[in-house]
Every structure is written in structure tokens, then in C-alpha cells.
Amino acid sequence: MKITKTTIQDVFILQPKIFQDNRGYFYESWNNKNFDKLTNNEVHFVQDNHSRSQRGVLRGLHYQLKNPQGKLVRVVNGNVLDVVVDLRKSSPTFGNHITVEISDENKKQIWVPAGCAHGFLVLSEQVDFLYKTTEYYSSKDEQCILWNDNELNIDWKLGEIKPQLSKKDINGKTFSRAPKYE
């Protein structure tokens, strides 16, 4: 597994080693020991999630404040533009964001540490999106920042796509008004 640092502290792109031949391919999508060693982290996942969405669905920017979740995200079918925003006031990259295209073809995974907001835009006709979390989901604790917040100025690479949003995402808070991590 190859791990690449991003411009946000503690956010990594993971690229598995793929073994491919005329029969198909095999790769190890998760190895706790290797991840801990390569990222200098110790993680324990408690929940796996799978979402399916159609082209143009935009989910995010979501996070939990009292029970922050670290997330390891990947796509098993289709492709998305994945977005991570650093909400940790103590971080040197506080307020910064990254965008990375992840797909079933490039097999990239993103490590989103606790303290960051996360979202994605579906670029393919359909996507199956998987994520492992370090904390359980809590609807009472969930927070949402507006996907199109002017202060963050995220380039979602929409092109002709008109984003399909949930009520929660339409009613998200601006970055300046959203609660942050200390």
C-alpha cells in the first residue's frame, strides 16, 4: 500500500497494490497494521457504511462534533469528487480543503481524520461508496456545512451537473457559523 500526504494535516490518500491478470484483479483494501505503521496512527473501526447514489448527488459537508468520526472512504463502483475540510482549530491547516477524484478504476482511498468535514459529488451514472468509521453514527450529533459556502470556495467541478441535495445539505450552516473542534 502506498500512502500519500495531502495539503491537510493527517489526511492521506491510500493506493493499494493491485495484482491483476487476465482473470481479473485482487487487492488488499484494508490492513490495520500497515495503516497504523504508515500513518503513525492507531485506528479502530466500529462501523462500515455503504451508500449508493446517482449522478449529480452531492452529500456533505458532514461531521459529528461530540463524537467525531475518522473515516476511510472508497468507491467500489463509479467515481466521485471527494472533499475534506479541516475543522480543527489547533491544526495548521484549519479551514483548508482538498478535492480528490476517487473511483473504482483508480482504487484510491481517503483517510479523513476525526475533526474534518467530508462530502462528495457523484460524477458517474451511479456510485457505490463505502466508508469505515471510528465512531458510531449519531443523528443528534451530526453537523452540516453548506457545500457552496463562499468562504470555503470549493470547486466542485460541477460543469453541467445540477447538484441533487438533501434537505439537511440545503440547510447547512456557513463555515463561519458552523461549530468547530478545539
Side-chain angles (χ1 to χ4, degrees):
M1 177 182 301
K2 177 183 171 189
I3 297 204
T4 306
K5 291 181 179 182
T6 68
T7 56
I8 297 182
Q9 183 177 2
D10 303 323
V11 175
F12 301 102
I13 299 170
L14 290 73
Q15 192 96 39
K17 185 172 183 180
I18 299 165
F19 302 93
Q20 189 166 355
D21 62 24
N22 63 344
R23 300 169 298 158
Y25 65 82
F26 169 86
Y27 70 93
E28 187 176 75
S29 62
W30 171 248
N31 182 307
N32 205 125
K33 189 166 97 176
N34 286 345
F35 180 86
D36 289 355
K37 180 181 173 186
L38 291 169
T39 65
N40 202 25
N41 281 297
E42 284 189 32
V43 300
H44 173 73
F45 292 115
V46 298
Q47 184 174 320
D48 279 7
N49 301 311
H50 183 151
S51 72
R52 175 173 283 169
S53 304
Q54 62 190 16
R55 180 176 170 80
V57 168
L58 193 152
R59 299 184 185 272
L61 300 158
H62 303 154
Y63 62 104
Q64 292 185 179
L65 192 62
K66 295 177 185 160
N67 300 294
Q69 294 177 308
K71 297 177 183 177
L72 181 63
V73 302
R74 69 185 177 115
V75 169
V76 293
N77 178 44
N79 66 312
V80 303
L81 182 70
D82 201 76
V83 178
V84 180
V85 180
D86 191 347
L87 301 177
R88 302 165 294 178
K89 290 180 182 177
S90 62
S91 169
T93 55
F94 171 73
N96 293 352
H97 70 273
I98 62 161
T99 60
V100 179
E101 192 169 324
I102 60 174
S103 69
D104 60 340
E105 287 187 17
N106 68 26
K107 299 187 183 25
K108 291 179 180 177
Q109 299 178 52
I110 310 292
W111 168 245
V112 182
C116 291
H118 175 258
F120 64 89
L121 170 68
V122 180
L123 303 172
S124 53
E125 289 306 310
Q126 182 173 295
V127 74
D128 284 301
F129 191 86
L130 304 180
Y131 49 108
K132 302 172 93 49
T133 65
T134 59
E135 275 296 328
Y136 295 103
Y137 171 72
S138 171
S139 61
K140 293 177 183 175
D141 191 24
E142 188 172 36
Q143 305 290 319
C144 181
I145 295 175
L146 278 172
W147 67 278
N148 60 351
D149 179 82
N150 290 329
E151 188 175 347
L152 292 175
N153 196 29
I154 297 168
D155 179 3
W156 287 91
K157 302 182 187 337
L158 290 169
E160 81 290 347
I161 297 173
K162 182 175 175 9
Q164 298 176 45
L165 305 164
S166 69
K167 189 174 185 176
K168 171 178 54 181
D169 294 333
I170 291 169
N171 296 318
K173 295 179 177 143
T174 62
F175 177 76
S176 60
R177 291 188 170 212
K180 316 289 188 308
Y181 300 95
E182 290 304 319

